[in-house]
Amino acid sequence: MRVYNFAAGPSMLPEEVLIEAGKSITDYLGSGMSVMEMSHRSKWYEDINEECRSLVCELMNVPDGYEVIFVQGGASTQFEAVPLNLMHTGKADYIVTGNFAKKAYKEAQKYGDVKLVASSEDKNFTYIPKTTALDFRKDASYVHITQNNTIFGLKYEKLPDTGEIPIVSDMSSCIMSEVTDVRNYGLIYAGAQKNLAPAGVTLVIVRKDLLGRESALCPTMLKYRTQTEARSLYNTPPCWSVYMMMLNLRHLKSRGGIAEIEKVNRRKAVLLYDFIDGSDFYSNKVEKESRSIMNVPFTTPNAQLDAKFVKEAEQDGLVSLKGHRLVGGMRASIYNAMPEEGVKSLIEFMKAFERENR
């Protein structure tokens, strides 16, 4: 029996996508091979690679002035790839709104003059700090943000005003969850294991005019130009992950695309937050205007009840609800593949648990 998997990542995939992948796991389109076995130079895989890229462009309405590439190493590798490729002035500005944003800021300091413009660590990352264009250095190469914080459950509803300075955004846990105007960014990157595919591939969307000014220290494998010039086929890519992304994006398109899935995602989030806010048993500490629609942390009155909640929820088919060690409590990650029925089932369990444990 399939469970409702609320894991922050790797997260659940649509059952339809898994079934489709299973049909061809030993023989893809009469090739006599699995995608996991075939050469990345084969016509079969080149078609997969191109369709996946085209679907990203179509679903996100990527303008002509941008490149879409698939790289390896997860979003964490991009914490270094970004400054190595883009910090051509030797300066970059960062906003820290959580653990991964803090890691990105720390890694960038190896490669230049990196300014911490703002941070919400003073309140344990429960809000998005407000900034103005005057807070950013005019000679900064870029401003880095983490669009959605997976651990603490907060997100940007409105981008910071950075003037002419390009915004670089880590969208790992919110990519394709809502309509995004790519023109507002210099670069977007996202690990796949939340909304796109199994772990293994990382999506990068980069403005073409930012390419070609990488540091002399930048390794060949981290240069964006290496992958743009080779169409993401410079070396053996994570073929199966790209294939799964292609199937998942086909599925997303069949559901009406990102605009339609955003409506579903916002409905799910409203249901869960409204229930939590209406309860004096559960709580969410994130400021309302900063709340994520993908990751919803919450707690009961004490840690013992939190542990009991997680254990009993799992017995009820609601799994991976334990919160991150930095926050504790519970966390419901309700990515694109989580159906509304899953959120409603969670709420019904929360009601029953509250009645039994007051």
Side-chain angles (χ1 to χ4, degrees):
M1 182 186 84
R2 293 279 290 172
V3 297
Y4 290 122
N5 178 11
F6 292 91
S11 63
M12 68 184 299
L13 287 161
E15 191 169 359
E16 300 91 333
V17 171
L18 295 172
I19 291 170
E20 181 64 25
K23 290 177 183 176
S24 59
I25 196 165
T26 59
D27 184 0
Y28 178 71
L29 295 183
S31 66
M33 297 177 287
S34 170
V35 174
M36 289 183 278
E37 301 172 291
M38 64 179 50
S39 168
H40 62 292
R41 306 296 180 193
S42 68
K43 181 66 165 60
W44 293 293
Y45 183 74
E46 287 194 356
D47 288 346
I48 291 170
N49 186 71
E50 180 53 31
E51 182 178 350
C52 192
R53 191 197 66 80
S54 296
L55 283 166
V56 171
C57 292
E58 179 182 355
L59 289 166
M60 294 191 69
N61 195 25
V62 178
D64 289 339
Y66 287 75
E67 294 277 8
V68 172
I69 53 175
F70 306 126
V71 298
Q72 299 180 57
S76 294
T77 299
Q78 295 306 305
F79 297 166
E80 298 197 67
V82 165
L84 283 166
N85 279 273
L86 303 188
M87 205 191 298
H88 64 278
T89 66
K91 297 181 180 181
D93 290 352
Y94 278 64
I95 300 175
V96 171
T97 53
N99 192 49
F100 293 112
K102 190 174 180 179
K103 287 183 176 181
Y105 167 63
K106 181 179 178 181
E107 295 293 345
Q109 291 177 61
K110 300 175 184 177
Y111 304 109
D113 176 2
V114 177
K115 176 185 176 183
L116 177 61
V117 173
S119 170
S120 54
E121 190 169 11
D122 62 322
K123 294 185 178 179
N124 201 33
F125 301 121
T126 53
Y127 70 100
I128 296 292
K130 291 178 172 57
T131 57
T132 70
L134 296 176
D135 294 321
F136 304 101
R137 297 176 292 182
K138 293 186 181 300
D139 57 348
S141 299
Y142 60 87
V143 174
H144 183 283
I145 65 170
T146 301
Q147 194 102 358
N148 183 89
N149 186 286
T150 317
I151 294 174
F152 296 89
L154 63 155
K155 74 180 287 288
Y156 279 87
E157 279 293 339
K158 183 180 179 182
L159 291 177
D161 179 4
T162 63
E164 298 300 314
I165 310 168
I167 293 176
V168 171
S169 179
D170 178 355
M171 288 193 187
S172 294
S173 53
C174 64
I175 191 78
M176 298 197 193
S177 65
E178 58 185 334
V179 175
T180 298
D181 189 345
V182 175
R183 296 171 298 180
N184 292 331
Y185 302 85
L187 185 144
I188 292 167
Y189 65 91
Q193 66 275 16
K194 318 284 190 179
N195 263 343
L196 297 178
V201 61
T202 302
L203 172 65
V204 174
I205 304 171
V206 57
R207 214 170 68 197
K208 291 180 181 179
D209 67 305
L210 299 179
L211 298 171
R213 292 184 286 182
E214 61 270 358
S215 164
L217 295 173
C218 188
T220 299
M221 279 301 297
L222 293 188
K223 287 181 185 177
Y224 297 134
R225 280 196 303 164
T226 299
Q227 298 295 351
T228 60
E229 291 170 1
R231 297 179 298 113
S232 303
L233 297 171
Y234 176 78
N235 69 326
T236 306
C239 299
W240 183 256
S241 294
V242 176
Y243 169 62
M244 290 296 292
M245 188 194 298
M246 181 195 76
L247 293 182
N248 195 38
L249 297 186
R250 280 182 184 173
H251 177 70
L252 179 56
K253 181 179 176 179
S254 75
R255 294 186 64 183
I258 295 174
E260 289 304 310
I261 202 68
E262 178 179 352
K263 294 176 185 176
V264 177
N265 288 335
R266 291 193 179 276
R267 282 200 303 269
K268 292 186 298 187
V270 167
L271 281 172
L272 187 49
Y273 282 122
D274 280 356
F275 173 74
I276 293 169
D277 291 343
S279 166
D280 59 3
F281 185 82
Y282 300 101
S283 63
N284 172 281
K285 295 180 173 58
V286 179
E287 291 186 358
K288 289 186 177 181
E289 61 270 25
S290 300
R291 283 176 168 176
S292 168
I293 63 171
M294 292 283 96
N295 310 99
V296 183
F298 60 95
T299 58
T300 67
N302 60 65
Q304 290 74 29
L305 282 175
D306 289 348
K308 184 181 181 185
F309 182 101
V310 172
K311 182 179 179 180
E312 293 184 4
E314 186 168 341
Q315 294 168 354
D316 212 45
L318 307 168
V319 306
S320 303
L321 281 163
K322 185 177 180 179
H324 192 276
R325 63 184 181 278
L326 294 176
V327 180
M330 285 71 67
R331 172 179 52 181
S333 294
I334 50 177
Y335 299 122
N336 288 359
M338 175 60 68
E340 290 182 73
E341 292 74 17
V343 175
K344 291 175 182 177
S345 294
L346 172 60
I347 291 171
E348 289 305 309
F349 174 81
M350 292 171 75
K351 289 177 181 177
F353 187 85
E354 179 177 353
R355 286 194 300 268
E356 294 165 8
N357 292 277
R358 276 196 167 278

